[in-house]
């Protein structure tokens, strides 16, 4: 071939230059003879060691490796060299197939994420991507349409859950929960609805028990009703999906006040009866019943005054029994001391009369 090239007019410096078409054969006119052109294999042998041969090998390797970056680089080099050969066509076809496959994979991921999100706007965006890139007959279109239909159904089911809970209608809420489960609503939405249903089953009965106990003014019944109400959560806001019933809060607060009033009344009754030990037990009961700190302080002052009165009465009576001026004078002085605020008028008057009798 070197001799043939020289006889055809190709210079030594042209031996490495690429021909305009790597798939074409050497023309007879360029060789100066009428002999037929050599087969393509011969041309490849002629090009061996040239830049065209290297580029064709890069194209073939990139096709075999299914490497998008390598295909793009090899095709760019072929374009710069002006190559229009079989390897370049194969490389372009392979690149298009790989890019289409890559787009299909990316689109599939976008569709999966949109369906998983259950978000209407993401589903719409995914639909636009699919129709614009793969066409309206793509399998993904059917998947997205079904996802949109189910998403709409789930939204309707969740709205019905809210409406039933807002209406505090237990039967309606049960039906809404069943419909939400069939529509595959989110677990969080179904859980909130179930919490609301459980509260609807319990809270009205607890409220009624509190109202009955408060009307009956029975300390034991009030304690039991209040304890059950606390366990049932009636003393605080119910589930967020459930509309709040102001009667629940009022019934609880009224029962608490009734129990406190009963406890304070029992304490004062013990004092009036002169039962110090009973008054002390009633004081402990008042604390356990939730009597306010200010009210407890008042009760403590009353108990202290009661004890002081008992002490003074006892001393005045002992002085009158002793029948001496010294004892009577000391007891009277103690009862009349500044700051003494006890009702000992009867005993004090008797002691003064006894002292006056002794002085006469």
């Amino acid at each position: 071939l070197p001799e043939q090239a020289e006889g055809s007019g190709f210079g030594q410096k042209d031996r490495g230059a690429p021909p305009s078409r790597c798939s074409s054969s050497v023309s007879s006119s360029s060789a100066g003879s009428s002999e037929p052109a050599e087969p393509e294999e011969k041309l490849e042998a002629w090009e061996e060691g040239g830049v065209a041969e290297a580029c064709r090998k890069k194209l073939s390797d990139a096709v075999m490796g299914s490497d998008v970056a390598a295909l793009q680089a090899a095709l760019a080099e072929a374009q710069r060299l002006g190559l229009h050969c079989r390897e370049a066509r194969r490389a372009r076809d392979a690149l298009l197939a790989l890019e289409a496959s890559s787009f299909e994979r990316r689109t599939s991921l976008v569709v999966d994420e949109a369906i998983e999100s259950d978000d209407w706007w993401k589903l719409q965006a995914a639909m636009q991507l699919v129709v614009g890139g793969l066409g309206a007959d793509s399998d993904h279109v059917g998947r997205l349409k079904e996802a949109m239909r189910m998403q709409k159904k789930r939204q309707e089911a969740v709205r019905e859950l809210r409406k039933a809970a807002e209406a505090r209608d237990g039967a309606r809420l049960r039906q809404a929960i069943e419909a939400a489960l069939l529509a595959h609503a989110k677990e969080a939405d179904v859980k909130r609805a179930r919490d609301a249903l459980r509260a609807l089953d319990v809270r009205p009965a607890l409220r009624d028990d509190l109202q009955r106990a408060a009307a009956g003014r029975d300390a034991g019944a009030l304690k039991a009703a209040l304890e059950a109400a606390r366990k049932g959560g009636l003393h605080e806001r119910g589930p967020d999906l459930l509309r709040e019933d102001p009667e629940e809060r009022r019934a609880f607060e009224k029962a608490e006040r009734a129990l406190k009033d009963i406890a304070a009344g029992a304490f004062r009754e013990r004092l009036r009866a002169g039962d110090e030990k009973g008054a002390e037990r009633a004081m402990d009961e008042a604390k356990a019943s939730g009597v306010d700190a200010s009210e407890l302080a008042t009760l403590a002052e009353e108990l202290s005054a009661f004890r002081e009165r008992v002490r003074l009465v006892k001393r005045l009576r002992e002085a009158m029994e002793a029948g001496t001026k010294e004892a009577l004078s000391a007891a009277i002085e103690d009862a009349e001391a500044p700051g003494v605020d006890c009702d000992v008028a009867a005993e004090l008057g008797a002691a003064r009369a006894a002292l006056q009798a002794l002085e006469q």
Side-chain angles (χ1 to χ4, degrees), residues 156-178:
E156 291 174 351
V158 171
R159 279 195 293 270
E160 178 59 19
L161 289 175
R162 295 195 184 102
K163 290 179 181 178
E166 181 69 19
R168 297 180 71 90
D169 188 331
R172 181 180 174 184
L173 186 54
R174 283 188 178 86
Q175 293 178 354
I177 290 173
E178 292 176 2

Side-chain angles (χ1 to χ4, degrees), residues 23 42 118 127 137 250 256 281 284-285 291 297 340 357:
S23 60
K42 295 295 184 180
D118 199 35
M127 179 67 80
D137 57 347
R250 282 196 286 267
E256 280 190 323
R281 289 191 297 270
D284 295 336
E285 186 66 24
V291 174
V340 174

Side-chain angles (χ1 to χ4, degrees), residues 28-40:
S28 59
S29 60
S30 63
S33 67
S34 60
E35 294 181 1
E38 293 182 357
E40 188 174 355

Side-chain angles (χ1 to χ4, degrees), residues 113-130:
E113 290 176 359
I115 293 174
E116 181 68 22
S117 71
D118 199 35
D119 184 278
W120 176 261
W121 298 109
K122 288 185 178 180
L123 289 169
Q124 286 280 44
M127 179 67 80
Q128 292 178 3
L129 177 65
V130 170

Side-chain angles (χ1 to χ4, degrees), residues 62-286:
V63 170
M64 294 296 294
S66 297
D67 187 330
V68 173
L71 282 167
Q72 290 173 339
L75 284 169
E77 183 178 352
Q79 185 177 8
R80 286 196 304 271
L81 296 175
L83 297 181
H84 303 282
C85 56
R86 179 179 65 252
E87 288 81 356
R89 290 192 296 274
R90 289 177 178 174
R92 281 193 294 271
D93 292 342
L95 180 59
L96 289 173
L98 287 173
E99 288 177 340
S101 175
S102 177
F103 179 79
E104 171 71 20
R105 286 195 299 271
R106 292 196 304 271
T107 303
S108 180
L109 288 175
V110 171
V111 170
D112 290 342
E113 290 176 359
I115 293 174
E116 181 68 22
S117 71
D118 199 35
D119 184 278
W120 176 261
W121 298 109
K122 288 185 178 180
L123 289 169
Q124 286 280 44
M127 179 67 80
Q128 292 178 3
L129 177 65
V130 170
V131 173
L134 301 178
D137 57 347
S138 171
D139 293 339
H140 294 309
V141 172
R143 291 180 61 206
L144 287 169
K145 285 183 177 179
E146 178 63 16
M148 289 177 177
R149 186 184 71 82
M150 291 302 298
Q151 196 268 353
K152 182 179 179 181
K153 190 174 181 180
R154 280 190 291 272
Q155 291 298 319
E156 291 174 351
V158 171
R159 279 195 293 270
E160 178 59 19
L161 289 175
R162 295 195 184 102
K163 290 179 181 178
E166 181 69 19
R168 297 180 71 90
D169 188 331
R172 181 180 174 184
L173 186 54
R174 283 188 178 86
Q175 293 178 354
I177 290 173
E178 292 176 2
L181 290 171
L182 291 175
H184 304 289
K186 291 181 180 180
E187 184 179 352
D189 293 328
V190 176
K191 182 181 181 302
R192 284 196 293 269
R194 283 175 169 162
D195 291 342
L197 182 60
R198 280 192 292 269
L200 271 178
D201 290 339
V202 173
R203 294 174 77 94
L206 294 174
R207 179 200 61 205
D208 294 343
D209 290 344
L210 286 171
Q211 290 172 341
R212 283 192 295 269
R217 304 291 294 181
D218 181 88
L222 279 167
K223 287 180 183 178
L226 283 167
E227 183 178 358
R230 289 190 182 94
K231 288 181 179 178
L234 205 69
H235 62 298
E236 57 190 8
R237 176 72 169 86
D240 56 356
L241 199 63
L242 190 65
R243 177 176 57 83
E244 188 173 8
D245 181 6
E247 286 299 319
E248 293 176 352
R249 172 66 67 176
R250 282 196 286 267
F252 188 85
E253 292 176 350
K254 185 176 180 180
E256 280 190 323
R257 287 195 301 270
L259 182 59
K260 294 174 185 178
D261 291 344
I262 291 173
F267 170 81
R268 292 188 171 99
E269 185 178 350
R270 292 296 88 203
L271 286 185
R272 285 193 296 270
D275 184 359
E276 183 178 353
K277 295 298 183 183
E280 291 174 352
R281 289 191 297 270
M283 172 73 80
D284 295 336
E285 186 66 24

